[in-house]
Amino acid sequence: MTFAAWSERLMSMSDEVWARHANPWSGWSRLTILPLLALSLWSRVWLGWGALLPLALTLAWVWLNPRVFPPPRDRSSWMTRGVLGERIWLDRAAHPLPPRLVAACHALTVLSALGALAMAWGLIRLDAFWTVAGMAVAMLAKLVLVRLMVVMHDRITGVRRNTS
């Protein structure tokens, strides 16, 4: 089982949940997760064990986010197409994807993971530079990955849009 399949199962991502997650508000509000995670972990300095509360709230937000918004009224939004592209990516065995696109998605996933590791290092050492730099790399790589998911969605569905 791949990490993506494992995380999809952990998040209980049913067809209904994916439909809700395709709402652009869901996609854009997920950008709050890494900053909230960093802040909740850093808060151990001020809150001690009380930092488990903001951490639990952040983890609850991770799970609730794809569920709290209604399905989008239409599927033309950039973020909606990105989420729908992610669904295609997760089921890529059923879709012929250009090898360069697949390689770029893998490279961006690795870059995002490296950013997350740098962020984790910063959080362990309470080093603001590594925390913020790692978060920035992870988030920027993820946004470029969403851009590739939009390209993937548009190619597979035959949609022709100006995505610049």
Side-chain angles (χ1 to χ4, degrees):
M1 176 180 292
T2 67
F3 177 76
W6 175 82
S7 64
E8 186 179 21
R9 179 176 283 174
L10 179 69
M11 290 286 294
S12 304
M13 295 296 287
S14 66
D15 288 341
E16 179 186 349
V17 174
W18 272 107
R20 290 173 163 275
H21 184 41
N23 185 312
W25 282 98
S26 177
W28 287 114
S29 63
R30 285 188 77 77
L31 293 177
T32 63
I33 289 172
L34 280 184
L36 287 172
L37 184 62
L39 185 60
S40 65
L41 291 171
W42 198 288
S43 74
R44 73 186 189 270
V45 171
W46 314 292
L47 303 176
W49 286 104
L52 291 175
L53 177 60
L55 178 61
L57 291 172
T58 299
L59 295 175
W61 175 238
V62 170
W63 191 84
L64 283 171
N65 174 277
R67 292 163 172 80
V68 298
F69 300 98
R73 291 188 187 131
D74 71 68
R75 294 179 166 209
S76 63
S77 145
W78 184 84
M79 184 56 82
T80 295
R81 292 176 11 246
V83 170
L84 296 172
E86 181 181 4
R87 194 109 201 248
I88 292 168
W89 173 251
L90 292 172
D91 191 28
R92 62 188 169 275
H95 304 283
L97 299 173
R100 287 179 55 184
L101 185 61
V102 171
C105 289
H106 285 305
L108 286 164
T109 300
V110 168
L111 183 60
S112 185
L114 291 173
L117 285 174
M119 179 181 142
W121 174 252
L123 287 167
I124 290 166
R125 302 199 25 95
L126 294 173
D127 184 314
F129 172 81
W130 284 105
T131 301
V132 172
M135 185 185 331
V137 168
M139 291 176 74
L140 287 171
K142 179 63 177 175
L143 283 171
V144 174
L145 184 60
V146 171
R147 167 70 169 94
L148 290 181
M149 296 294 142
V150 170
V151 169
M152 193 178 309
H153 169 269
D154 292 355
R155 281 189 182 177
I156 295 297
T157 62
V159 172
R160 300 270 184 226
R161 299 191 195 280
N162 181 4
T163 57
S164 52

